[in-house]
Amino acid sequence: MNIIQKFKETLSSVLPIMAIVLLLGITVAPLELNTIVCFLLGGALLIFGLTIFLLGVDTGILPIGERSGAALTAKRNLPLLLSVSFVIGFMVTIAEPDVQVLANQIKGVSPALNKWALIFMIAGGVGLFVMTGLLRTVLNWHLKWVLIISYILLFALAFLSPKEFQGVAFDAGGATTGPMTVPFIMALGVGVATVRSKSKSSEDSSFGLTGIASIGPIAAVCLYGIILALKGNSATANQLPEEGTATESIVSNGILGLGIFIKLLPSTLKEVSMALLPLVLMAVAFQLFLLKMPPVQVRRMIKGLVYSFIGLVIFLIGVNGGFMPAGQKLGMTLGSLAASGSFAWTLLLCLTGLVFGAVVVCAEPAVWVLTEQVESVSGGTIKRKVMLVSLSFGVALSVGISMLRVLYGFSLWYILIPGYALALLLTFFCPSLFTGIAFDSGGVASGPMTSTFILSFTLGATTACGGNPATDAFGVIALVAMTPLIAIQVLGIIYKLKNKRKLEDKAK
């Protein structure tokens, strides 16, 4: 796919978000001129950055993952495959920029938290479940049983963890499957599945790895919370609003201006360099000892990695400099209006959440990677547009529910328990291919756009309503990651029924 087509796709995804924010920002929820200008510039950077990033992913990152997975599987050495997959999951997660942000957010929950200990635990969780996912592919385990057993153990851990860690833990499952982690892990899984089986079942095994991998960080954060509780270190939720409102203080102090984009450049360069360095080191090691590709392909992959680096830098600067501050400010304004008790303002806040959820998911970098791979692996049977509509519907519902949590403060478990129970129940009726895609979609839908704009919007609304971000705002990423599990599997059941009807018609 050429750069012009990539640009058109990202433009059509991001422009609706910008239009909605501008409409609200100049009407019912006025935003400062400085905030609007930064938002517009941030949107332009996001569009160009996302275009370049996606081009780099296609050129450099996906081929590395697919070739590595295929080469490791072809060696017929299961211990080698599992050990290398653990290292890949561990190293990529440590380098994921979203993980650094997440660790800082969780640290606000407990003063006794050791940031790097938490990061290593999350990385270990991802590595362990990447290894489990590939083992499932190699041994042909049924995906639904792996998911059911894993989630039963996960919810047991979650119930034992401190309350302040529960919402953040489930958010970790989405935040760690970011724009660098998802493409590589998905490509690795596709490569293994392709070599493992040339039958129709290989298509079913191509997806599900990201969904399995996202379970690891949730379990890791829950386990870390339990360890802190056993040591007698109590979590102090009252510190979290200070962490969560850092962007708000930048806005209110008038520091936020066009210069913020320049100020963000050094830290963003460092984050993206850390994100790409492990992948580069692994690519070099794989090339020397495993792949041995010709110079033409090596140059192509280097070119793709350079594109990914440049694109991700521009993308993150646009998000952090323009989208995140505007999202939090808008959330505070609408939240303060809804807090007045008026039904009209409450309805507006919920409807705004629905619309943002439907639109923001289409701007997630990993969503475009996933939908393109799904259309390719399924031979065009599953259209990208149908996938995007299903994801938009599910994410819209989850953000709308999150706005109700902000206003009424009901427990996250009221949604997560029945939601995951329904998702796991659907695995018995949904085709295996769609089940894998659904659980992958949960991870990719909750990427950097959700972790920045949607979470900032929710934090702003919670602060304005006088709620506790630890229990009322955190959990929005968890809901975003959960609803696609249901929406995509329902889509799969519809496809199954349609195909069955076609076969019956042909038989007649």
Side-chain angles (χ1 to χ4, degrees):
M1 190 179 294
N2 58 46
I3 192 169
I4 301 299
Q5 189 172 349
K6 293 284 188 186
F7 178 76
K8 289 180 179 179
E9 289 178 350
T10 55
L11 190 67
S12 62
S13 300
V14 179
L15 281 183
I17 304 174
M18 299 178 67
I20 295 167
V21 173
L22 284 176
L23 178 63
L24 293 172
I26 61 177
T27 55
V28 296
L31 296 176
E32 297 174 0
L33 178 61
N34 209 20
T35 303
I36 293 177
V37 171
C38 287
F39 176 75
L40 291 174
L41 181 56
L45 291 174
L46 188 153
I47 291 170
F48 285 107
L50 185 56
T51 300
I52 298 171
F53 170 78
L54 291 174
L55 186 66
V57 167
D58 283 352
T59 307
I61 296 178
L62 293 183
I64 295 174
E66 290 178 0
R67 290 175 184 273
S68 301
L72 285 169
T73 308
K75 285 188 171 295
R76 306 295 179 182
N77 189 331
L78 186 58
L80 175 65
L81 172 64
L82 296 181
S83 58
V84 172
S85 64
F86 176 85
V87 172
I88 289 174
F90 188 88
M91 293 180 67
V92 173
T93 303
I94 289 178
E96 181 66 54
D98 290 347
V99 175
Q100 305 291 331
V101 177
L102 177 71
N104 289 328
Q105 290 175 330
I106 300 176
K107 190 170 183 178
V109 175
S110 173
L113 179 111
N114 184 301
K115 176 183 174 181
W116 283 105
L118 177 65
I119 289 175
F120 284 136
M121 288 191 67
I122 291 176
V126 174
L128 180 62
F129 276 81
V130 167
M131 185 174 68
T132 302
L134 291 181
L135 184 62
R136 175 198 77 85
T137 301
V138 172
L139 300 181
N140 287 324
W141 291 345
H142 287 292
L143 177 61
K144 63 183 176 183
W145 291 115
V146 174
L147 292 171
I148 289 172
I149 294 172
S150 297
Y151 273 105
I152 289 175
L153 296 174
L154 177 62
F155 272 92
L157 274 177
F159 277 114
L160 294 174
S161 66
K163 184 179 179 181
E164 291 79 7
F165 278 84
Q166 293 171 352
V168 182
F170 277 87
D171 281 355
T176 51
T177 47
M180 296 306 302
T181 309
V182 168
F184 201 91
I185 290 179
M186 285 181 59
L188 180 67
V190 170
V192 172
T194 302
V195 173
R196 178 61 185 171
S197 175
K198 299 297 182 181
S199 65
K200 292 181 180 180
S201 63
S202 65
E203 183 182 273
D204 297 347
S205 300
S206 299
F207 298 98
L209 182 58
T210 303
I212 294 174
S214 64
I215 299 172
I218 308 175
V221 176
C222 289
L223 184 60
Y224 194 79
I226 294 171
I227 293 172
L228 288 181
L230 292 175
K231 288 184 177 180
N233 297 322
S234 60
T236 53
N238 60 347
Q239 292 185 352
L240 193 56
E242 297 177 7
E243 295 280 344
T245 55
T247 306
E248 173 199 347
S249 65
I250 293 175
V251 176
S252 61
N253 289 336
I255 299 174
L256 184 64
L258 297 180
I260 189 63
F261 296 102
I262 298 175
K263 292 178 182 178
L264 284 170
L265 183 59
S267 60
T268 306
L269 284 171
K270 181 180 178 181
E271 287 181 355
V272 177
S273 298
M274 290 178 62
L276 274 175
L277 182 59
L279 294 180
V280 172
L281 294 176
M282 284 189 293
V284 171
F286 288 164
Q287 169 63 14
L288 293 176
F289 303 107
L290 187 66
L291 302 178
K292 303 185 187 302
M293 296 179 295
V296 175
Q297 293 179 344
V298 172
R299 286 195 294 268
R300 179 179 173 85
M301 289 190 181
I302 292 174
K303 184 179 178 181
L305 289 169
V306 171
Y307 283 157
S308 298
F309 178 85
I310 296 172
L312 196 54
V313 168
I314 298 173
F315 173 82
L316 290 176
I317 288 176
V319 167
N320 294 324
F323 263 59
M324 191 162 62
Q328 185 155 2
K329 189 68 175 179
L330 188 64
M332 290 184 65
T333 305
L334 291 177
S336 61
L337 293 172
S340 64
S342 171
F343 175 76
W345 293 123
T346 299
L347 182 62
L348 178 62
L349 178 64
C350 293
L351 287 176
T352 302
L354 285 170
V355 174
F356 277 149
V359 177
V360 165
V361 68
C362 294
E364 290 286 3
V367 167
W368 288 96
V369 176
L370 172 72
T371 53
E372 186 173 343
Q373 281 193 318
V374 169
E375 191 171 50
S376 174
V377 171
S378 65
T381 303
I382 307 170
K383 300 297 183 182
R384 166 179 279 189
K385 290 183 179 179
V386 177
M387 280 280 296
L388 288 174
V389 169
S390 301
L391 285 173
S392 294
F393 176 80
V395 174
L397 182 63
S398 64
V399 179
I401 293 173
S402 296
M403 294 304 104
L404 293 176
R405 285 187 63 235
V406 166
L407 292 170
Y408 303 109
F410 55 84
S411 174
L412 183 65
W413 293 120
Y414 295 163
I415 309 299
L416 285 184
I417 292 177
Y420 273 101
L422 177 59
L424 293 174
L425 179 63
L426 288 173
T427 62
F428 290 94
F429 306 98
C430 179
S432 298
L433 174 61
F434 277 89
T435 297
I437 293 171
F439 279 84
D440 280 353
S441 301
V444 301
S446 51
M449 286 298 293
T450 306
S451 302
T452 54
F453 187 82
I454 294 298
L455 182 56
S456 295
F457 179 78
T458 309
L459 282 167
T462 303
T463 302
C465 293
N468 179 5
T471 54
D472 298 336
F474 284 96
V476 61
I477 302 177
L479 295 180
V480 167
M482 182 195 72
T483 47
L485 312 185
I486 300 171
I488 299 300
Q489 287 193 99
V490 170
L491 178 66
I493 293 173
I494 294 173
Y495 265 90
K496 180 181 178 181
L497 294 174
K498 283 186 175 181
N499 288 335
K500 183 179 179 180
R501 190 175 301 172
K502 287 181 180 179
L503 292 174
E504 291 175 350
D505 291 341
K506 287 182 179 179
K508 293 178 181 178

